[in-house]
Amino acid sequence: MTRGSASVQGRTGSPDKGQGPSAAPRAPSSRKRGEGEDIAIVGGGIIGICVAAYLAEAGRRVTVFDRTGICEETSSGNAAAFAFSDVLPLAHKGMMKQLPKWLADPLGPLTIPPAYLPRLLPWLIRFWRAGAARHFEASLAAQAGMMKLAEAEWMGLLDRSGTRPMLRENGSLELYESEAEFRASLPGWKARERFGIAFRHVEGEEMASLQPGLAPRFVKGTLAPGWKTVADPKLLGKAVWAYAERLGARFEHARIDRVESGPDGAAIVLADGTRRKAGQLIVAAGAWSHLLARGLGDRIPLETERGYNTTLPVSAFDVKRQLIFSGHGFVITPLETGVRVGGAVELGGIERPPNFARSKAMLEKARRFLPGLDPSGGREWMGYRPSLPDSLPVIGRTRSPNIFYAFGHGHLGLTLSAVTARLIARLLAEGPAEALRPFDIQRFQ
Ligand SMILES: Cc1cc2nc3c(=O)[nH]c(=O)nc-3n(C[C@H](O)[C@H](O)[C@H](O)COP(=O)(O)OP(=O)(O)OC[C@H]3O[C@@H](n4cnc5c(N)ncnc54)[C@H](O)[C@@H]3O)c2cc1C
């Protein structure tokens, strides 16, 4: 898969006009090594590879550049949810009320390392403003609109790529420890109801049958049947990439120092100083995207919400569906490859080392919430959610007509990757559309 010498040369490819979610992909373009591609994608996470798959389906010549590999960073270890019912932007009144309690616990659902606070402050102020009613409603409408398309796009991509067997359609169960916690969740469920999202509040025997072995501390729950998970996000990412490769997409192992625009295309400069031309270029570099955008003159308030988890052996517990403990900021997901316990948010930037005491704290809670859980033999992990203050990604064209952004999907990158790919494929084929306005970088200028 790794190549060292292909040039990414400007060419025009076939447009993607009118290709619906289930449209048959075009035949793979027969390319010889060194012949040149027309599209370069920086970033081989789930966003970059879905974009690569959609563009390869449209007959475009695509090369993905990544310093690590395909789905080896944040997209490898996430909680595996297709969270199609998760339309609420993070900054909202209910969440703001929880902040003081959460921040008081250094290993709780949300932490800000004190030394990082001065750097974070401008982002926090924007986040706070995003929670104001007017802004919240606009973000909610944009996120719900995108979510409406997200499911159809993923189902289409799963079918076309032959990965549907990796889908698990057993919903999620959110759990509450008190009547007060349950009542506090109701406005959020009401907001989801407006967008046709199905759910059912449960208790007693029904709740126990949805997840046997729960600790009695949980008094109520909410089942969201439309919530789906995948067998393993890293395996799914690699399988989608294998599909893109079959359609002619290529991978190059390289760290990109900067991206540049030119009169008839774009260029990327590799860490070894090599310069490659590309007809069109897409920055999908997750939590590191703003570093590349800066070189193009765009200052984008991209932060990272670092998240932690522990993946236990499959035998650790018989988890029936994804269990969500919102009050504690973590979830438990049954995967084909293990039982994953994790979540939490640490607003600590991209440089400081991980603090795995956070994974351990969540695992200890999981043991109390599922008393039969065997906490031994786990593998700890940290990932960098690429997060913008209004919880919406950046999807759009830059000032340069040949450079595009697709990053900042925060907690929902897996869920929104196929629809992002559809939007980018359309943008490249048809130019900017009104529907993309909420995701434009102009909102930060
Ligand atoms: C604990 C946790 C749980 C989560 N759970 C879910 C979930 O259940 N459902 C969901 O939808 N989302 C979830 N997410 C969010 C989701 O994982 C992310 O939004 C998504 O993985 C982001 O994908 P990406 O492709 O943008 O970034 P990444 O996966 O980080 O990929 C970016 C790639 O760019 C490469 N790169 C960066 N800079 C350069 C450079 N200069 N040169 C070369 N390569 C570069 C990196 O090596 C990396 O491979 C979770 C996240 C965390 C941390």
Side-chain angles (χ1 to χ4, degrees):
M1 267 198 330
T2 306
R3 289 187 316 153
S5 63
S7 79
V8 182
Q9 203 52 255
R11 285 179 58 131
T12 46
S14 335
D16 179 44
K17 271 193 184 118
Q19 198 179 3
S22 57
R26 306 206 179 152
S29 51
S30 56
R31 267 188 296 166
K32 292 192 189 86
R33 197 180 165 85
E35 190 182 286
E37 278 72 33
D38 65 347
I39 297 183
I41 299 175
V42 183
I46 194 68
I47 301 297
I49 60 170
C50 282
V51 171
Y54 272 68
L55 292 174
E57 283 177 341
R60 306 292 303 261
R61 295 166 183 275
V62 184
T63 302
V64 171
F65 293 82
D66 198 294
R67 62 190 175 198
T68 49
I70 294 295
C71 256
E72 289 294 340
E73 299 221 8
T74 310
S75 301
S76 70
N78 62 48
F82 278 155
F84 298 127
S85 49
D86 203 351
V87 294
L88 296 186
L90 278 187
H92 58 84
K93 268 194 276 167
M95 196 266 191
M96 300 295 189
K97 273 189 215 153
Q98 304 253 38
L99 281 183
K101 186 182 84 185
W102 284 352
L103 286 170
D105 176 359
L107 295 179
L110 173 66
T111 335
I112 302 173
Y116 194 66
L117 189 57
R119 267 178 79 177
L120 182 67
L121 210 54
W123 187 93
L124 275 182
I125 292 168
R126 285 181 188 267
F127 178 77
W128 190 265
R129 286 196 192 129
R134 188 167 56 91
H135 299 303
F136 174 79
E137 279 298 323
S139 297
L140 174 61
Q143 189 157 317
M146 206 171 166
M147 210 52 102
K148 230 182 220 164
L149 309 173
E151 184 162 3
E153 289 300 340
W154 252 119
M155 296 309 118
L157 181 58
L158 291 176
D159 285 340
R160 299 194 302 278
S161 59
T163 52
R164 196 179 263 261
M166 297 176 113
L167 181 69
R168 297 177 169 201
E169 303 188 73
N170 38 14
S172 65
L173 181 62
E174 183 153 352
L175 292 151
Y176 315 102
E177 287 173 284
S178 65
E179 276 295 329
E181 189 188 351
F182 170 65
R183 275 198 306 278
S185 79
L186 295 179
W189 289 111
K190 226 175 166 41
R192 291 181 184 98
E193 208 165 25
R194 276 165 43 203
F195 296 98
I197 288 158
F199 59 88
R200 194 167 81 244
H201 301 307
V202 295
E203 57 190 312
E205 276 179 24
E206 185 180 11
M207 190 166 90
S209 70
L210 289 168
Q211 181 54 62
L214 272 176
R217 63 198 297 152
F218 297 104
V219 296
K220 281 213 165 98
T222 305
L223 178 74
W227 191 278
K228 298 174 173 60
T229 55
V230 297
D232 183 291
K234 180 171 176 165
L235 297 183
L236 175 67
K238 290 193 185 290
V240 170
W241 173 251
Y243 167 65
E245 264 194 327
R246 290 198 293 279
L247 295 174
R250 303 244 178 124
F251 177 75
E252 185 163 339
H253 194 246
R255 178 184 296 275
I256 307 305
D257 260 2
R258 58 181 195 280
V259 296
E260 294 171 351
S261 68
D264 55 352
I268 53 178
V269 180
L270 278 57
D272 65 5
T274 320
R275 199 165 177 278
R276 299 283 172 74
K277 281 187 177 175
Q280 290 174 311
L281 188 147
I282 297 148
V283 177
W288 300 270
S289 300
H290 60 308
L291 304 177
L292 296 170
R294 208 178 282 163
L296 295 169
D298 291 322
R299 297 195 74 82
I300 301 175
L302 184 72
E303 255 303 330
T304 177
E305 296 180 65
R306 294 146 53 115
Y308 291 83
N309 60 41
T310 307
T311 306
L312 301 168
V314 175
S315 57
F317 199 84
D318 184 12
V319 182
K320 298 290 185 195
R321 50 186 45 76
Q322 189 169 67
L323 304 176
I324 302 178
F325 307 98
S326 288
H328 297 272
F330 77 96
V331 303
I332 302 181
T333 316
L335 303 174
E336 186 184 292
T337 46
V339 172
R340 185 160 287 166
V341 178
V345 167
E346 183 183 58
L347 288 158
I350 50 179
E351 280 146 25
R352 64 181 48 239
N355 172 9
F356 286 115
R358 301 180 63 75
S359 317
K360 291 179 179 62
M362 286 183 278
L363 187 56
E364 173 51 27
K365 282 185 180 171
R367 209 184 50 73
R368 281 189 269 136
F369 297 170
L370 293 174
L373 179 92
D374 177 358
S376 62
R379 187 169 28 88
E380 292 175 332
W381 177 86
M382 185 194 71
Y384 300 87
R385 298 181 189 94
S387 300
L388 290 149
D390 56 4
S391 303
L392 298 179
V394 168
I395 302 171
R397 200 168 73 174
T398 64
R399 265 167 288 205
S400 160
N402 299 309
I403 303 183
F404 303 83
Y405 291 148
F407 59 81
H409 295 74
H411 292 240
L412 293 169
L414 173 62
T415 309
L416 296 175
S417 44
V419 64
T420 297
R422 169 66 62 201
L423 294 171
I424 288 286
R426 252 189 218 143
L427 179 61
L428 264 61
E430 299 170 16
E434 184 58 29
L436 282 181
R437 192 186 286 273
F439 310 106
D440 200 290
I441 46 162
Q442 288 307 322
R443 69 193 198 266
F444 301 118
Q445 308 301 311

